[in-house]
Amino acid sequence: MKKILSLLGSLFFVLFIITGCGKGSIVQNIDNSNYIDAKNITMAKVEKAITKGAIRKGWTTKKIKTGLLESKVNVRGKHFVMVNIAYNTKGYKIIYKDSQNMNYNPQDNTIHPNYNKWIGNLERNINYELSLIGVSGNSNSRNVTSIESSSNTTTINKSQYKSSGEINTNKNVIYIKAITPYAKNNRIAQNIKSECTINQQLAEFIQKYATEQGLTVKFKNNIGPNDLYLNLQIDDAISQGGAFRGHAKFTTISGILVKGKKSYGSFKAARVSGGGFWGAYKGSCAVLGRTVEALGKDVATWLYSPIDGAQLGDVGYLR
């Protein structure tokens, strides 16, 4: 029995190390701009509730001006996080400002996964303090966004490129963005964007499977005119069903291989997944992860010999 407990302890420790030192998550901002539904709420009351809610989880708060607070926390004396909290009598926003020892990557807008957990706890405690002053809370107004500029959404316009025939991708470095942008005006649910990391996973799977094909794929966010660049976007991601009810997830993407104003092939791709074996025990993000892994393989195979107008994976199935 002692040996079993020892083995279990070692296993939990290894899992802790793996999850604690895993890859970063997209930085989340919390937008509760229309959360406050109570009347006779003053700016002073909202400010006090936010401050008290922050204190409950060890955050210290400083007033920058009316309508703006700066809040920070130092976890175990090692991990520092600072956020801005903008507020009025209708609601508030929690916005990333700074961090130390949190593996923040400003290019990819990623950070240690614990950051989003701490921000979520901060939000819950602010909402609790608001409830004490009569705010029942409009939960439907909640919106989670990432730190993203217009560069995080894109529209692939094939007409701006001139088709230039074949290219030997074996002899070139192919660049892709570390975070695949979502198509402009996409209909992807916000919870998929905030809770899943398919835009990060897709790029990583393409790199992984392209390497197995003998290709060289590197991440680069500032693409130059002489770079061979896979201009890629996630067009759609749908998450229907769930554990024990049956998953029905799919992801669609499109891309064009370009260098300057010349193009060397394009594709549309889709993958559908019901979760596979033990699908009933998998979460929605895990199943969507299966779709982007399959897409990563599809794109890597296409990159080995790119053609124009290719339809990959389950595109025909979704018609």
Side-chain angles (χ1 to χ4, degrees):
M1 186 65 181
K2 288 183 179 180
K3 289 184 178 180
I4 294 174
L5 290 173
S6 178
L7 287 171
L8 286 173
S10 299
L11 176 61
F12 287 137
F13 176 75
V14 170
L15 289 173
F16 173 78
I17 293 298
I18 291 173
T19 56
C21 301
K23 296 176 181 177
S25 298
I26 302 296
V27 176
Q28 294 180 357
N29 291 328
I30 307 297
D31 186 348
N32 278 323
S33 298
N34 297 302
Y35 181 80
I36 299 175
D37 54 3
K39 297 180 179 180
N40 302 320
I41 297 295
T42 65
M43 292 286 283
K45 288 182 178 180
V46 175
E47 179 185 325
K48 186 176 181 179
I50 291 173
T51 301
K52 291 177 69 175
I55 291 173
R56 292 175 63 88
K57 296 305 293 184
W59 293 71
T60 59
T61 303
K62 178 176 72 173
K63 183 175 182 178
I64 304 300
K65 62 180 181 180
T66 300
L68 181 62
L69 300 172
E70 179 186 271
S71 193
K72 55 188 177 181
V73 66
N74 195 328
V75 180
R76 295 185 295 276
K78 296 180 180 179
H79 308 287
F80 172 81
V81 167
M82 180 185 295
V83 297
N84 280 335
I85 305 178
Y87 66 94
N88 55 30
T89 56
K90 294 183 179 180
Y92 66 94
K93 295 180 181 180
I94 303 175
I95 305 166
Y96 175 89
K97 186 175 183 180
D98 195 12
S99 64
Q100 295 176 12
N101 294 326
M102 292 297 292
N103 300 328
Y104 176 59
N105 186 328
Q107 286 189 318
D108 299 341
N109 296 324
T110 56
I111 200 167
H112 192 287
N114 281 347
Y115 170 83
N116 291 330
K117 295 178 183 178
W118 297 343
I119 294 302
N121 289 334
L122 174 62
E123 177 194 15
R124 282 188 287 275
N125 281 276
I126 289 173
N127 290 347
Y128 173 76
E129 291 295 334
L130 286 170
S131 72
L132 297 182
I133 60 173
V135 176
S136 57
N138 178 14
S139 58
N140 292 329
S141 71
R142 186 179 189 270
N143 189 24
V144 179
T145 61
S146 62
I147 301 177
E148 60 181 16
S149 62
S150 58
S151 62
N152 289 83
T153 60
T154 186
T155 299
I156 295 177
N157 181 8
K158 290 181 63 177
S159 64
Q160 66 180 307
Y161 303 109
K162 181 180 179 180
S163 180
S164 299
E166 298 181 356
I167 188 171
N168 189 344
T169 51
N170 280 293
K171 295 182 179 180
N172 290 272
V173 176
I174 304 167
Y175 293 99
I176 61 174
K177 292 187 176 180
I179 302 295
T180 306
Y182 294 107
K184 191 174 181 180
N185 300 321
N186 65 79
R187 59 172 183 164
I188 301 170
Q190 187 59 47
N191 66 307
I192 292 178
K193 295 179 182 178
S194 61
E195 296 173 13
C196 306
T197 58
I198 58 172
N199 54 347
Q200 180 178 347
Q201 290 175 305
L202 178 59
E204 291 171 349
F205 284 131
I206 291 173
Q207 184 185 57
K208 173 185 176 181
Y209 291 113
T211 300
E212 293 181 3
Q213 296 268 9
L215 303 176
T216 302
V217 172
K218 294 184 179 181
F219 297 142
K220 188 176 183 181
N221 290 322
N222 298 316
I223 306 298
N226 295 318
D227 292 332
L228 184 60
Y229 167 50
L230 178 59
N231 188 354
L232 182 70
Q233 68 181 25
I234 297 176
D235 297 313
D236 208 353
I238 299 297
S239 176
Q240 298 175 338
F244 303 104
R245 292 183 293 131
H247 289 285
K249 323 292 188 193
F250 71 82
T251 304
T252 62
I253 64 175
S254 57
I256 181 169
L257 186 64
V258 299
K259 185 175 183 180
K261 291 297 181 180
K262 297 180 180 180
S263 68
Y264 299 94
S266 64
F267 68 84
K268 290 185 179 294
R271 279 294 178 175
V272 180
S273 179
F277 190 68
W278 295 111
Y281 297 94
K282 296 175 181 176
S284 294
C285 289
V287 179
L288 283 171
R290 287 171 58 88
T291 67
V292 294
E293 180 171 11
L295 287 168
K297 292 180 181 179
D298 294 335
V299 174
T301 301
W302 175 86
L303 279 173
Y304 189 82
S305 182
I307 60 173
D308 196 38
Q311 295 191 351
L312 311 178
D314 299 323
V315 169
Y317 177 79
L318 292 176
R319 283 182 174 178

